[in-house]
């Protein structure tokens, strides 16, 4: 009787619940561990129950990526200038993807990444076109922004993942005291590691955004670049 009551109290299986559970699973175990079967276990249902809402693993990945993109600060702000829009949207993308690196990996999954980014891309493109940015300028700006976000965020995540543990220095000191050798190389021994680790900071990201903005102004010259979101 108790078992029957427990089953009846289980939340209804919905698309929203499936996408939320898939997001949690990918963040915890990585995209490689994400299957319809593992998702079913996460939800306490069979894989076939999940298939009744999504016809494939890729369809769920698309929904997960769309959910992530929708949480970014990319809505139009009436009267906002194009450069402030770039600062706001690029920073939001950077912060969210750094906070959810496993979910961000969906972007490079063939087909699923493209489909998952379609609504986000359409939204950003139309935002700048509505501001009055000429399409040829936006085309060049898009290449700059996309390359910068992809490269900086990817490298920043890799640097953070490969950063030596906090107890590395303690382990080195103990090893030397006991007559052994250090297991972890110090920053002084490997200056390139120190430079690379220091390169991918929030401040460095903000500086890069400013460089891109100046580059767009140069590309658009002699246009005064007085582009802004229409007032409501």
């Amino acid at each position: 009787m108790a078992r029957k009551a427990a089953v009846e109290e289980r939340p209804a299986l919905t698309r929203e619940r499936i996408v939320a559970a898939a997001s949690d699973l990918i963040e915890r175990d990585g995209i490689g561990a994400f299957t319809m079967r593992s998702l079913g276990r996460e939800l306490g249902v069979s894989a076939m129950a999940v298939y009744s809402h999504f016809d494939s693993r890729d369809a769920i990945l698309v929904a997960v990526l769309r959910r992530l993109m929708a949480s970014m600060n990319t809505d139009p702000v009436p009267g906002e200038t194009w450069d402030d829009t770039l600062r706001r949207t690029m920073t939001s993308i950077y912060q969210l993807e750094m906070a959810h690196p496993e979910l961000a990996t969906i972007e490079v999954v063939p087909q699923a990444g493209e489909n998952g980014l379609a609504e986000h891309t359409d939204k950003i493109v139309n935002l700048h076109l509505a501001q009055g940015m000429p399409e040829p300028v936006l085309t060049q700006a898009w290449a700059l922004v996309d390359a910068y976000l992809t490269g900086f965020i990817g490298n920043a995540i890799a640097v953070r993942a490969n950063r030596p543990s906090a107890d590395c220095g303690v382990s080195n000191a103990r090893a030397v005291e006991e007559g052994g050798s250090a297991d972890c190389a110090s920053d002084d021994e490997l200056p390139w590691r120190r430079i690379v680790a220091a390169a991918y900071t929030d401040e460095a990201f903000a500086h890069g955004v400013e460089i891109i903005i100046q580059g767009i102004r140069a590309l658009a010259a002699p246009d005064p670049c007085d582009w802004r979101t229409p007032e409501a």
Side-chain angles (χ1 to χ4, degrees):
M1 197 71 172
R3 179 180 176 82
K4 182 178 180 181
V7 171
E8 291 175 348
E9 292 172 4
R10 180 181 295 162
L13 189 63
T14 63
R15 288 177 65 90
E16 292 75 17
R17 186 175 165 226
I18 290 171
V19 173
S23 299
D24 292 342
L25 178 61
I26 293 169
E27 287 211 86
R28 187 184 68 236
D29 300 334
I31 195 170
F34 173 64
T35 64
M36 297 297 263
R37 187 169 295 176
S38 64
L39 179 57
R41 286 196 299 268
E42 185 84 2
L43 290 160
V45 301
S46 68
M48 291 306 299
V50 178
Y51 275 114
S52 68
H53 293 272
F54 290 92
D55 61 9
S56 68
R57 175 180 181 271
D58 275 3
I60 297 177
L61 290 178
V62 169
V64 169
L65 187 53
R66 284 177 177 169
R67 181 175 184 256
L68 178 67
M69 295 294 123
S71 66
M72 294 176 178
N73 183 10
T74 56
D75 288 338
V77 174
E80 184 177 58
T81 59
W82 67 276
D83 51 339
D84 280 343
T85 297
L86 271 181
R87 293 182 183 100
R88 175 173 61 87
T89 57
M90 290 179 70
T91 300
S92 179
I93 292 168
Y94 163 67
Q95 291 175 341
L96 204 63
E97 294 199 358
M98 288 299 296
H100 304 281
E102 292 296 339
L103 298 185
T105 63
I106 301 173
E107 294 180 17
V108 298
V109 175
Q111 201 63 40
E114 181 180 351
N115 291 338
L117 288 171
E119 290 182 4
H120 168 77
T121 301
D122 182 64
K123 182 178 182 180
I124 297 295
V125 166
N126 285 321
L127 191 161
H128 287 298
L129 289 176
Q131 290 179 323
M133 185 181 290
E135 187 167 331
V137 175
L138 178 54
T139 299
Q140 296 180 77
W142 188 271
L144 292 173
V145 171
D146 187 51
Y148 180 64
L149 287 172
T150 301
F152 193 101
I153 294 172
N155 286 329
I157 289 172
V159 166
R160 185 171 65 180
N162 294 325
R163 187 169 291 140
S165 62
D167 62 354
C168 185
V170 175
S171 299
N172 280 348
R174 185 179 298 115
V176 172
E177 287 177 1
E178 294 174 356
S181 60
D183 292 328
C184 306
S186 70
D187 286 344
D188 290 337
E189 292 169 345
L190 296 171
W192 70 268
R193 289 189 182 275
R194 182 174 66 253
I195 292 170
V196 171
Y200 295 96
T201 64
D202 294 350
E203 183 180 17
F205 179 82
H207 287 164
V209 172
E210 295 305 317
I211 291 171
I212 287 175
I213 288 172
Q214 292 306 313
I216 294 171
R217 291 187 186 278
L219 287 170
D223 192 311
C225 304
D226 187 22
W227 313 314
R228 64 182 62 240
T229 303
E231 296 287 349

